[in-house]
Amino acid sequence: MEPEDLLRIVVTVCEAQGLRYLVTGSTATIAYGEPRFTNDIDIVLELHREQIHRFCGAFPESEYYLSRQAVEWAVRSASQFNLIHPASGLKVDFIVYSETEFNQSRMARSRALPVLEDHRVQFREPYRPLFARVSTTSRSRRDTPSASRSSVSGSLLRWT
């Protein structure tokens, strides 16, 4: 299994179950055309207690490691849990969505990108320099140059 295969599986599960998600981290950076080395996929996931059983059931124990107990704890505490594909060594880090102003803004600004041949995947917006977020100057965000490319390089993610 390749990273894009795991991403496709996870996105398909999320979409079939009506779960809001957002790919972030190095995978999102790759989608915007900046090469990175990564062996995991970071996803912000809006998952509620009543959705845990169905979500966990979508990843058979014979193929994946997913601790239901860890998922339950992460949902209760707005924390993180992992999905591991042992045969390939690939991992998804799920960050449970919490209703903060930052997360609401992040979800609202997400972009559906055509990075898989058969899917448009929800990604975080391209990063702006950190200083633009914490600056106390009156400079507007639109005047701040983007830290990464704002368009997809090609139609597929490349992890090489």
Side-chain angles (χ1 to χ4, degrees), residues 20-78:
R20 286 193 328 159
Y21 71 91
L22 172 70
V23 179
T24 188
S26 291
T27 302
T29 302
I30 293 167
Y32 286 108
E34 293 292 330
R36 294 271 195 239
F37 175 77
T38 187
N39 203 27
D40 69 352
I41 300 168
D42 299 320
I43 297 179
V44 176
L45 177 66
E46 187 172 7
L47 186 66
H48 301 284
R49 253 182 39 208
E50 64 275 4
Q51 299 168 314
I52 293 172
H53 177 74
R54 184 171 179 219
F55 178 78
C56 290
F59 300 99
E61 288 182 22
S62 60
E63 296 179 51
Y64 302 94
Y65 173 75
L66 179 61
S67 166
R68 182 182 170 108
Q69 184 178 10
V71 175
E72 290 170 348
W73 182 84
V75 168
R76 272 194 316 272
S77 62

Side-chain angles (χ1 to χ4, degrees), residues 103-122:
N103 280 335
Q104 289 172 357
S105 174
R106 187 160 56 162
M107 283 289 200
R109 292 175 307 180
S110 69
R111 298 179 181 184
L113 301 178
V115 297
L116 300 173
E117 290 176 351
D118 55 349
H119 266 84
R120 294 182 64 83
V121 178
Q122 288 299 127

Side-chain angles (χ1 to χ4, degrees), residues 2 4 8 16 24 27 32 42-44 51 58 69-70 88-89 92-93 115 123 125 129 143-144 148 153-154:
E2 297 296 321
E4 57 268 21
R8 179 180 291 108
T24 188
T27 302
Y32 286 108
D42 299 320
I43 297 179
V44 176
Q51 299 168 314
Q69 184 178 10
S88 66
V92 179
D93 294 326
V115 297
F123 284 89
E125 72 172 346
D143 295 333
T144 305
S148 60
S153 177

